[in-house]
Amino acid sequence: MPRLSRVVAFSIVSLAAADAAVADPPAPVKPKQAIIISFDSARDISQWKRSRALATRIGAQFTYFVSCVFLLSPETRKEYTAPGKTSGKSNIGFAASKQEVADRLEQINLAALEGHDIGSHGCGHFDGRDWSKADWLSEFGSFSRILENAYSINGIAPEPAGWRKIARKAVGFRAPYLSANKALYEALPKAGYLFDASGVARGPARPRTVSGITRFSLPQIPEGPDTRRVIAMDYNLYVRHSGGFERPSKADEFAKRSYDAFRAAFDAQYQGKRIPLELGFHFTLMNDGAYWNALERFAGEVCTKPDVECISYRDYVSWRDGGEKQASAGG
């Protein structure tokens, strides 16, 4: 073969090999899918136990946004003064007794020792949309003081070793009614918080960090026969399904609709971009427990997958900020 022909032939073979290498790269490794499940107010003792048992079964960590008025008995309720209110006022009441406070403190302590995230839901569940920065700082101050000193305030002994360290690790916040304003985001870093979960987004959204505060948003997800979007929180489903009134006869239907919505939202991310999926709940068993039943079915199916992490807000922030690989942090 003439020299020129050999060169041309070699070049063609080389280009074909190069094209093959470019056309068939190694498949990219997808990050794990993160699911962040949280509970607001965290009042009922039986629901504390139920949620912790669920977490143990499926290997999950949850975030509990605690309302500090449930750490005050009728005798100690005046330890709390809300912005613009007289002492001892709350939109959601207080603990029923000193014993109930002791039982709740035990559950908080156990949850923290199990690796769950204890966050703040403020104290009296007031709407802070018109609060000033000073008002928010006052509310945060009340929460921190009451949580850290709950044992001594209520005369409960002994205080567990390490309790105050647990209290000081409450670095996340969710506003009652998801009612945030500019003053809130000015107050959060001043009060030592690291993340806020008061936002709402049209769908699952990656959190962004502004002025040192990582901002999370509950997604609006398609739900029901007409796939209208609803905030992925049990209370919003309750209002959607029954107008905020109990309809226990339809609990199974509501549970299935909720499960289907959770599963569809999960599948869209799991098969797609794997943006973290956030779901919010309360300790109230609305519509005869329909939403907790849906949660347990959903979490039992997906949290046990090897490429899924059901983690707390705090852990998600820590892993992301700690430079962990996406495949370990869920996005």
Side-chain angles (χ1 to χ4, degrees):
M1 181 184 291
R3 179 179 178 80
L4 180 59
S5 298
R6 289 199 302 270
V7 171
V8 170
F10 177 78
S11 298
I12 291 171
V13 171
S14 299
L15 286 171
D19 285 346
V22 170
D24 191 25
V29 177
K30 273 194 169 185
K32 288 190 176 183
Q33 175 66 49
I35 301 172
I36 307 175
I37 296 168
S38 58
F39 301 93
D40 290 4
S41 291
R43 179 174 190 169
D44 192 87
I45 304 301
S46 65
Q47 297 306 99
W48 270 106
K49 294 177 180 178
R50 182 176 174 180
S51 63
R52 289 177 44 240
L54 171 63
T56 298
R57 288 198 305 273
I58 63 177
Q61 256 78 54
F62 299 144
T63 294
Y64 296 94
F65 291 110
V66 174
S67 295
C68 85
V69 290
F70 297 138
L71 304 181
L72 296 175
S73 68
E75 294 76 23
T76 59
R77 61 186 293 168
K78 291 197 173 181
E79 288 283 337
Y80 169 61
T81 303
K85 309 287 182 182
T86 56
S87 63
K89 301 292 184 183
S90 164
N91 260 358
I92 50 176
F94 293 83
S97 66
K98 175 180 173 178
Q99 184 58 54
E100 186 187 289
V101 173
D103 292 343
R104 187 169 296 109
L105 288 171
E106 179 185 30
Q107 291 300 312
I108 294 172
N109 190 52
L110 288 170
L113 293 176
E114 291 163 357
H116 298 292
D117 175 17
I118 306 302
S120 169
H121 199 43
C123 287
H125 212 275
F126 292 104
D127 188 333
R129 74 179 69 183
D130 296 322
W131 283 1
S132 65
K133 178 181 177 181
D135 291 334
W136 282 112
L137 289 173
S138 173
E139 184 78 349
F140 294 150
S142 292
F143 177 87
S144 297
R145 179 180 60 82
I146 291 168
L147 180 63
E148 188 167 342
N149 297 283
Y151 282 90
S152 59
I153 286 172
N154 291 283
I156 299 168
E159 179 179 298
W163 170 257
R164 291 170 187 266
K165 183 178 179 181
I166 288 171
R168 289 191 288 270
K169 286 179 69 176
V171 294
F173 178 70
R174 174 174 285 153
Y177 310 107
L178 304 178
S179 190
N181 63 4
K182 181 181 178 182
L184 168 64
Y185 293 107
E186 293 172 348
L188 283 166
K190 181 75 173 177
Y193 285 89
L194 298 181
F195 71 85
D196 171 77
S198 306
V200 175
R202 177 167 174 76
R206 296 194 189 279
R208 59 195 181 96
T209 300
V210 181
S211 300
I213 300 296
T214 300
R215 299 188 188 183
F216 291 90
S217 298
L218 285 166
Q220 298 177 68
I221 60 175
E223 188 276 337
D226 57 2
T227 65
R228 283 190 301 134
R229 289 182 180 268
V230 63
I231 297 174
M233 180 173 262
D234 55 358
Y235 178 76
N236 301 83
L237 289 161
Y238 178 54
V239 172
R240 162 72 61 84
H241 292 161
S242 58
F245 294 95
E246 287 296 315
R247 296 182 67 184
S249 64
K250 303 198 76 173
D252 290 345
E253 175 190 332
F254 297 150
K256 185 179 186 305
R257 281 180 56 167
S258 301
Y259 163 81
D260 289 344
F262 298 157
R263 188 65 203 235
F266 167 81
D267 288 343
Q269 292 308 317
Y270 187 68
Q271 297 163 10
K273 296 181 179 180
R274 297 207 169 177
I275 296 170
L277 175 63
E278 303 172 42
L279 303 175
F281 297 85
H282 294 77
F283 275 15
T284 305
L285 295 178
M286 294 167 261
N287 277 328
D288 200 30
Y291 310 107
W292 273 66
N293 293 338
L295 165 65
E296 289 175 326
R297 179 183 174 191
F298 168 75
E301 288 180 1
V302 303
C303 292
T304 53
K305 290 179 177 290
D307 52 353
V308 173
E309 294 277 1
C310 289
I311 60 175
S312 69
Y313 281 110
R314 186 186 63 207
D315 282 349
Y316 184 90
V317 172
S318 296
W319 283 341
R320 186 200 62 177
D321 292 351
E324 296 285 338
K325 294 180 180 178
Q326 272 195 328
S328 298

